[in-house]
Amino acid sequence: MLRRTTSWGLSLGVSSSILMTSVFATAGVEGLAPIVRADEKALSQEEAIKQAQEWVTIPGDYKLRSARMTNSDDDYNNTGRTYWNLTWEKSKVGRIYVTIDAASGKLSSYSNYLEDDQLGTTKNKLTEDQAMEAAKQFLEEVTTEEERNRLSKPNEYVDPDAYYFRNQGQLVKFTRMVNEIPFLGNGFQIIVDRNGDVMSFHREWYDGKFPETTKVIELAEAEKKWEEEASLSLLYKDLTGMTNNYQQGPGTYELVYEFQNEDPQLVEATTGEVINLFGKAASEKTIKPLGNTISKETSEKRLITKEEAEKIAEQYVKRLPGNYRFEGSGGGGSSSGRGGISVHHWSFDFTPQNGGRKKTDEVEVDINDRGELVSYEVNPNSRFEETPKKMLITWEQAEESATKLVKTLLADQLGEIYLIEEEPAKETLQSYADKGEHFDIQFGMLINGIPVEDETFRVEVNPETGVAESLNKRSRSETRLLPKAREKHMEQQSAKEVIKEQQKLQLVYLQPVPEGRPAKPSEPLLVYRYVGDNGVVKADNGEWYSFVEAQKKQEPGDIDEHPQQAVLDFAVRRGWMAVIDGQLGPEKEVTRGEMAMIMAQMVDESEFRNLRPSFDSDEDRLIHDFVDVPSSHPSYAAIQKSVEYALIPKSGKNFEPDRMITRAEVADMVARLLGYNDLLDKPELFKSPYQDLQPKHIPAVTLLSAHGLLKGKSATNFEPDATVTRAQIAGLLKMIYDQRESE
């Protein structure tokens, strides 16, 4: 049987972590200190390099940049094996990562990471059959016939937990078969790029014991058990995040039913017990808020000054037992959410005044410019101390201490907070004890009593004293745009029926999800599991949302044979332009709001880091709000960011985000991107090359013409009021990017 490979490359958890360890390693290369051999029976560094060059092609102009050996003692390696992680690099072209099993010399992982401008384009789309053929040929070179004879047909089984972002090629997966039963997650994975070249390979091959296949319950019994005891989670999920397409704006969370790791969803094939992905018996979880108070939020929040933030910090400190004296500000910083909205915050220091309290009881409180508590920390000056702590309290006691702090500081929003009750595995607790680490207690956020995925914060508890020493709370500036839960949504049983329509109950081998940092993989389980398309059930209408189909829709299906195909493809890969339902619309005219979204993505490129704003006063920092751009508008975050980066002037009441942008307006935004803001209101310094320009347009158009970026429609006319297409914008951005990169 043909074999198959694929590497999630830099996209998936454990695989990518093994690969990425080589990126930061330096020992043993180019005259640096030699590697310490973890296993004297393992390949030497020279042998590993030679073996890697036999498995994959390393171009002669690529230089070896790092070589590092990792074994089971490494936090990122829980395979029980020893590996050589090797990295080759060519400046401004790409990097090649190769992981070699240090004992057998087998190729474990390979990823050829090219910069976007090196990927190229092809007018003929790579078909699935062509990708499979390329994958098979690669497998012939890097696997044994015995291994290939134990594999399924290519893409015969879909791993329910597998999908990847920013589709740059075709995924081909060969699942390992054991006793004619698919072993999900084991086998080979390959990604073939648009030119038919293998860009990523990964081997996952368990060598331990397997459970017996005798005395397996019947499929009908397993289905009945699943019907009765399996339980889905109802939650808000960021579906846009599944495709990495944040240009659709914030507020994209939807109410869905989905299996979480801890949910009962598998039927153990020998006992009939319904278990979770950790391999443990599980019951339907109950999420209970810490209280019933709900924070008061308005649709819009006024940004506050540092002085106002200081007063809010003082109010938070008054909630603590004892009295504190304000000691001043410890600085501040800012962060940017996925939608581009920048959030500033300040740190304020307080010292206890009485009760014989020690200087180590000092606290630091961070408040952001929305008036929200960002963090709280006891004795902040000791945050970098590496003194190990003895474990004198239990996990339950740590949870109690953390909950007490949350109830003290966040008393006005306890109806939106719940404790995530997940006691770590024994191995993880032992790791805490061995390293003297703090207990990390997690809390989740709720909207109308329903959890919001990934919207969590943590409290660190000292295992020696039992004191909750820090609280780190992520800003909710974008999450506040979540839709409120509808009064009615489908019942869980109906959602389970949707899953049964989309997937099939199968007998499979499956390794439990690891808890903590195990030294080696656990034995596989023989379970019945619903297998098929990976996705979630929308709770409002019962529709199936396929992650694979959503990912496919991020590939533009309307630019083949377009004269600007190369630059359009480049703009999509860089994330400057969004693809909606598989359409980029190259000849579609661009609105002002869309241009702001494109520019907000552009400034994240390293070539424009110099534009990152710094403000001399709180007044300069305040964003200019436009009355016709409410927070619900898709361009809201991008327009805020563009104002902050001075790509849009702080003037006027209306922005007109849905009006088509003109060539003159594009010139103005691009001139600001290039740093010419101070010259744009000085038309007297420029001589217009075109006769149809108003004075206010002359500086920007003249500057861009001098750069060869945006020329007139004729020798005498620029046509400033003409509109622009997405293809024209893509070409303009590519020229800007190339010029900046060459500088």
Side-chain angles (χ1 to χ4, degrees), residues 663 689-690 692 701 705 710-719:
R663 282 167 50 83
Y690 306 107
D692 59 347
V701 172
S705 294
L710 194 59
K711 295 184 178 296
K713 293 286 188 175
S714 69
T716 57
N717 291 325
F718 182 75
E719 296 189 24

Side-chain angles (χ1 to χ4, degrees), residues 342-457:
S342 179
V343 180
H344 196 81
H345 63 89
W346 302 273
S347 300
F348 303 99
D349 300 324
F350 299 86
T351 302
Q353 283 186 302
N354 57 9
R357 302 180 70 141
K358 305 181 292 296
K359 187 176 179 61
T360 54
D361 292 327
E362 292 178 350
V363 300
E364 179 183 272
V365 177
D366 277 26
I367 304 294
N368 68 20
D369 54 13
R370 273 72 173 171
E372 300 167 328
L373 175 69
V374 176
S375 67
Y376 158 89
E377 190 157 11
V378 177
N379 190 19
N381 293 326
S382 67
R383 69 183 67 178
F384 300 116
E385 290 181 3
E386 297 182 358
T387 306
K389 308 290 190 299
K390 295 180 180 179
M391 189 177 292
L392 301 179
I393 66 169
T394 64
W395 181 262
E396 291 76 13
Q397 290 171 324
E399 286 184 330
E400 290 177 9
S401 177
T403 302
K404 182 179 179 181
L405 178 65
V406 172
K407 288 184 174 181
T408 299
L409 291 176
L410 305 176
D412 57 342
Q413 49 186 296
L414 297 181
E416 303 171 302
I417 302 172
Y418 70 100
L419 171 66
I420 300 176
E421 299 182 70
E422 293 182 358
E423 182 171 350
K426 292 180 180 179
E427 294 83 1
T428 304
L429 287 174
Q430 186 60 50
S431 176
Y432 277 127
D434 293 342
K435 299 182 179 180
E437 297 176 341
H438 282 63
F439 285 125
D440 196 350
I441 311 299
Q442 301 283 333
F443 293 85
M445 302 302 298
L446 303 166
I447 298 289
N448 288 357
I450 299 171
V452 183
E453 186 179 53
D454 298 329
E455 188 68 17
T456 62
F457 66 93

Side-chain angles (χ1 to χ4, degrees), residues 4-169:
R4 136 156 151 83
T5 60
T6 174
S7 164
W8 291 102
L10 307 180
S11 301
L12 295 183
V14 175
S15 307
S16 61
S17 61
I18 294 174
L19 279 172
M20 289 303 291
T21 52
S22 64
V23 179
F24 306 102
T26 55
V29 180
E30 297 185 351
L32 299 178
I35 291 285
V36 176
R37 296 284 296 280
D39 183 352
E40 288 304 323
K41 296 180 181 179
L43 297 176
S44 68
Q45 177 176 305
E46 292 73 20
E47 291 169 334
I49 293 171
K50 182 179 179 180
Q51 189 66 65
Q53 292 170 328
E54 290 183 9
W55 292 130
V56 298
T57 300
I58 309 294
D61 50 357
Y62 274 67
K63 304 299 182 184
L64 182 66
R65 294 303 182 193
S66 65
R68 179 172 182 253
M69 180 183 280
T70 61
N71 56 28
S72 57
D73 294 331
D74 193 289
D75 286 344
Y76 296 102
N77 182 359
N78 66 344
T79 64
R81 294 177 174 142
T82 300
Y83 294 98
W84 275 106
N85 299 284
L86 310 169
T87 303
W88 283 265
E89 183 176 278
K90 182 179 179 182
S91 177
K92 292 188 177 295
V93 173
R95 289 170 296 281
I96 295 175
Y97 305 101
V98 181
T99 303
I100 298 293
D101 188 306
S104 67
K106 290 182 178 180
L107 178 66
S108 176
S109 293
Y110 159 70
S111 182
N112 188 348
Y113 178 79
L114 292 174
E115 297 294 337
D116 281 324
D117 55 358
Q118 299 293 323
L119 286 171
T121 59
T122 175
K123 291 188 176 181
N124 297 316
K125 274 196 170 182
L126 185 74
T127 67
E128 186 175 5
D129 288 341
Q130 290 171 330
M132 288 181 180
E133 187 58 36
K136 292 173 184 177
Q137 291 178 7
F138 188 79
L139 280 179
E140 293 285 349
E141 300 170 4
V142 300
T143 61
T144 66
E145 183 177 359
E146 181 183 4
E147 290 171 332
R148 296 192 296 275
N149 288 336
R150 299 181 187 179
L151 299 175
S152 70
K153 297 177 182 178
N155 291 344
E156 182 177 1
Y157 297 99
V158 179
D159 190 337
D161 306 309
Y163 56 92
Y164 62 106
F165 301 131
R166 303 303 302 275
N167 187 4
Q168 294 180 342

Side-chain angles (χ1 to χ4, degrees), residues 67-316:
R68 179 172 182 253
M69 180 183 280
T70 61
N71 56 28
S72 57
D73 294 331
D74 193 289
D75 286 344
Y76 296 102
N77 182 359
N78 66 344
T79 64
R81 294 177 174 142
T82 300
Y83 294 98
W84 275 106
N85 299 284
L86 310 169
T87 303
W88 283 265
E89 183 176 278
K90 182 179 179 182
S91 177
K92 292 188 177 295
V93 173
R95 289 170 296 281
I96 295 175
Y97 305 101
V98 181
T99 303
I100 298 293
D101 188 306
S104 67
K106 290 182 178 180
L107 178 66
S108 176
S109 293
Y110 159 70
S111 182
N112 188 348
Y113 178 79
L114 292 174
E115 297 294 337
D116 281 324
D117 55 358
Q118 299 293 323
L119 286 171
T121 59
T122 175
K123 291 188 176 181
N124 297 316
K125 274 196 170 182
L126 185 74
T127 67
E128 186 175 5
D129 288 341
Q130 290 171 330
M132 288 181 180
E133 187 58 36
K136 292 173 184 177
Q137 291 178 7
F138 188 79
L139 280 179
E140 293 285 349
E141 300 170 4
V142 300
T143 61
T144 66
E145 183 177 359
E146 181 183 4
E147 290 171 332
R148 296 192 296 275
N149 288 336
R150 299 181 187 179
L151 299 175
S152 70
K153 297 177 182 178
N155 291 344
E156 182 177 1
Y157 297 99
V158 179
D159 190 337
D161 306 309
Y163 56 92
Y164 62 106
F165 301 131
R166 303 303 302 275
N167 187 4
Q168 294 180 342
Q170 294 274 359
L171 173 67
V172 187
K173 180 179 178 64
F174 291 82
T175 300
R176 180 180 175 186
M177 304 296 291
V178 179
N179 301 318
E180 300 184 354
I181 299 170
F183 186 176
L184 298 185
N186 239 237
F188 303 99
Q189 296 181 111
I190 284 179
I191 297 175
V192 182
D193 71 14
R194 65 196 71 219
N195 296 313
D197 298 323
V198 172
M199 61 179 289
S200 181
F201 163 88
H202 180 67
R203 169 196 299 268
E204 195 70 42
W205 202 271
Y206 172 78
D207 289 327
K209 294 174 57 179
F210 287 86
E212 296 291 335
T213 57
T214 57
K215 298 181 180 179
V216 173
I217 66 173
E218 296 293 332
L219 178 66
E221 182 181 352
E223 187 171 17
K224 184 173 184 294
K225 283 279 189 179
W226 189 90
E227 284 277 1
E228 294 173 348
E229 300 182 35
S231 178
L232 292 151
S233 288
L234 179 66
L235 68 153
Y236 282 107
K237 189 178 186 71
D238 181 10
L239 296 183
T240 293
M242 306 313 297
T243 57
N244 232 16
N245 182 8
Y246 292 109
Q247 281 208 39
Q248 293 181 10
T252 58
Y253 287 77
E254 293 193 44
L255 194 60
V256 303
Y257 278 106
E258 180 184 43
F259 280 123
Q260 302 283 287
N261 285 351
E262 66 274 14
D263 290 332
Q265 58 193 281
L266 312 172
V267 181
E268 213 284 341
T270 56
T271 65
E273 183 180 27
V274 178
I275 59 177
N276 60 24
L277 285 181
F278 296 113
K280 296 181 178 180
S283 58
E284 186 175 357
K285 58 180 179 288
T286 301
I287 293 177
K288 183 179 179 181
L290 299 183
N292 53 23
T293 53
I294 303 294
S295 60
K296 296 179 180 179
E297 292 191 6
T298 59
S299 58
E300 304 287 347
K301 281 192 174 182
R302 180 181 67 86
L303 300 184
I304 65 172
T305 64
K306 180 180 179 180
E307 289 70 26
E308 291 173 306
E310 178 185 322
K311 292 179 181 179
I312 293 174
E314 290 174 345
Q315 293 302 313
Y316 274 107

Side-chain angles (χ1 to χ4, degrees), residues 411-659:
D412 57 342
Q413 49 186 296
L414 297 181
E416 303 171 302
I417 302 172
Y418 70 100
L419 171 66
I420 300 176
E421 299 182 70
E422 293 182 358
E423 182 171 350
K426 292 180 180 179
E427 294 83 1
T428 304
L429 287 174
Q430 186 60 50
S431 176
Y432 277 127
D434 293 342
K435 299 182 179 180
E437 297 176 341
H438 282 63
F439 285 125
D440 196 350
I441 311 299
Q442 301 283 333
F443 293 85
M445 302 302 298
L446 303 166
I447 298 289
N448 288 357
I450 299 171
V452 183
E453 186 179 53
D454 298 329
E455 188 68 17
T456 62
F457 66 93
R458 61 190 176 88
V459 174
E460 291 187 350
V461 179
N462 189 312
E464 217 169 28
T465 64
V467 174
E469 294 186 338
S470 73
L471 182 152
N472 292 281
K473 189 173 182 296
R474 192 176 73 177
S475 169
R476 300 180 65 203
S477 59
E478 292 188 60
T479 308
R480 66 188 173 89
L481 302 176
L482 281 166
K484 294 297 181 183
R486 291 178 171 84
E487 291 185 4
K488 293 183 179 180
H489 56 76
M490 70 186 307
E491 296 296 326
Q492 179 182 159
Q493 194 59 39
S494 298
K496 290 167 71 173
E497 292 299 321
V498 175
I499 290 177
K500 291 172 65 176
E501 293 173 3
Q502 298 293 330
Q503 300 179 344
K504 178 183 177 182
L505 188 64
Q506 289 184 258
L507 183 65
V508 299
Y509 286 105
L510 188 71
Q511 282 180 292
V513 172
E515 294 185 274
R517 290 169 282 191
K520 60 181 181 179
S522 56
E523 288 188 13
L525 302 173
L526 187 59
V527 300
Y528 283 100
R529 183 181 192 180
Y530 273 94
V531 178
D533 188 21
N534 188 19
V536 296
V537 181
K538 291 188 176 183
D540 59 341
N541 57 20
E543 290 182 0
W544 177 256
Y545 182 88
S546 166
F547 298 151
V548 173
E549 290 303 313
Q551 182 65 51
K552 287 180 180 178
K553 291 179 180 179
Q554 300 308 304
E555 279 289 297
D558 57 351
I559 66 172
D560 293 349
E561 306 297 333
H562 192 281
Q564 294 287 84
Q565 179 186 357
V567 295
L568 287 164
D569 187 68
F570 186 81
V572 170
R573 290 203 304 265
R574 298 302 297 188
W576 302 337
M577 290 184 169
V579 178
I580 307 298
D581 292 331
Q583 302 293 302
L584 182 61
E587 295 306 312
K588 179 183 175 183
E589 294 176 331
V590 179
T591 67
R592 286 168 54 80
E594 289 171 339
M595 189 65 188
M597 295 171 79
I598 291 170
M599 298 299 278
Q601 296 290 323
M602 192 75 174
V603 296
D604 288 336
E605 297 287 354
S606 60
E607 287 75 13
F608 298 99
R609 295 280 167 81
N610 61 301
L611 292 176
R612 187 173 296 278
S614 59
F615 304 105
D616 297 327
S617 68
D618 289 336
E619 178 121 5
D620 291 337
R621 179 181 54 82
L622 297 180
I623 294 295
H624 181 80
D625 283 321
F626 297 99
V627 296
D628 59 351
V629 188
S631 61
S632 58
H633 195 281
S635 303
Y636 171 76
I639 290 171
Q640 279 207 28
K641 182 175 181 178
S642 295
V643 170
E644 187 177 29
Y645 277 68
L647 303 178
I648 296 173
K650 293 183 179 181
S651 61
K653 292 183 178 180
N654 295 302
F655 182 73
E656 300 181 272
D658 301 318
R659 175 173 64 77

